[in-house]
């Protein structure tokens, strides 16, 4: 079978000698072998695993996505985020580190956004609060 995993910016996996694949959707884990019926499903946040003809294994952590099987031999996965690895334990560490980095970047962005909002509010208050007596006809 051919396995194609893509993100919006890259082709992550394009392999032609895959003999079996396991993935997970809302209903649970499922397997795909050569000759599978055409199929379409939405993946959960999970690890997709596959086996090559020479018994090697591959893994890819996906952050949701759409899996389709066409013509019994073409498996395509479109996902926003894909992290590939050949060792499941190492892949777990890489994914956890990436999640930590993403959370930290999000925290920094949120803090910066709040700082900019506060600066804008101070500017508005300064504009609306008269600094000189009589500016608005009160004097």
């Amino acid at each position: 079978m051919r396995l194609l995993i893509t993100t919006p910016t890259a082709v992550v996996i394009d392999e032609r000698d895959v003999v079996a694949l396991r993935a997970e959707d809302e209903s649970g884990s499922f397997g795909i072998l050569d000759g599978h019926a055409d199929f379409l499903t939405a993946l959960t946040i999970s690890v997709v695993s596959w086996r090559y003809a020479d018994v090697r294994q591959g893994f890819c952590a996906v952050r949701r996505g759409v899996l389709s099987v066409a013509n019994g031999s073409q498996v395509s996965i479109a996902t926003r985020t894909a992290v590939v690895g050949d060792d499941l334990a190492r892949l777990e560490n890489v994914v956890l580190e990436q999640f930590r980095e993403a959370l930290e970047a999000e925290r920094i962005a949120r803090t910066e956004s709040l700082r900019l909002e506060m600066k804008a509010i101070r500017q508005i208050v300064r504009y609306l609060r008269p600094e000189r007596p009589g500016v608005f006809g009160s004097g």
Side-chain angles (χ1 to χ4, degrees):
M1 291 187 299
R2 179 180 183 201
L3 173 61
L4 183 65
I5 301 176
T6 60
T7 66
T9 59
V11 174
V12 179
I13 292 287
D14 187 359
E15 297 287 341
R16 296 187 182 275
D17 60 343
V18 172
V19 295
L21 178 129
R22 293 208 60 79
E24 189 174 324
D25 63 10
E26 289 294 327
S27 66
S29 179
F30 59 91
I32 298 195
L33 298 171
D34 194 28
H36 197 285
D38 286 0
F39 182 66
L40 181 68
T41 190
L43 299 176
T44 59
I45 296 173
S46 58
V47 174
V48 176
S49 62
W50 61 91
R51 188 169 36 88
Y52 294 99
D54 63 4
V55 189
R56 290 178 300 126
Q57 281 195 295
F59 303 96
C60 183
V62 295
R63 197 167 189 177
R64 295 188 177 85
V66 175
L67 179 143
S68 64
V69 178
N71 302 322
S73 63
Q74 169 80 29
V75 180
S76 300
I77 298 173
T79 181
R80 284 186 146 313
T81 306
V83 181
V84 178
D86 56 1
D87 178 77
L88 195 53
R90 208 169 343 155
L91 179 62
E92 179 182 17
N93 292 333
V94 168
V95 169
L96 286 174
E97 182 59 31
Q98 285 186 354
F99 282 168
R100 278 190 213 103
E101 289 172 3
L103 284 173
E104 180 62 15
E106 186 177 313
R107 185 192 65 76
I108 290 169
R110 202 172 25 249
T111 301
E112 182 63 19
S113 175
L114 184 57
R115 188 185 69 74
L116 290 172
E117 286 175 28
M118 293 305 296
K119 186 176 180 179
I121 289 170
R122 281 192 294 273
Q123 290 284 7
I124 292 169
V125 168
R126 242 184 308 219
Y127 177 76
L128 294 176
R129 187 181 307 155
E131 304 254 343
R132 296 168 288 164
V135 171
F136 291 106
S138 61

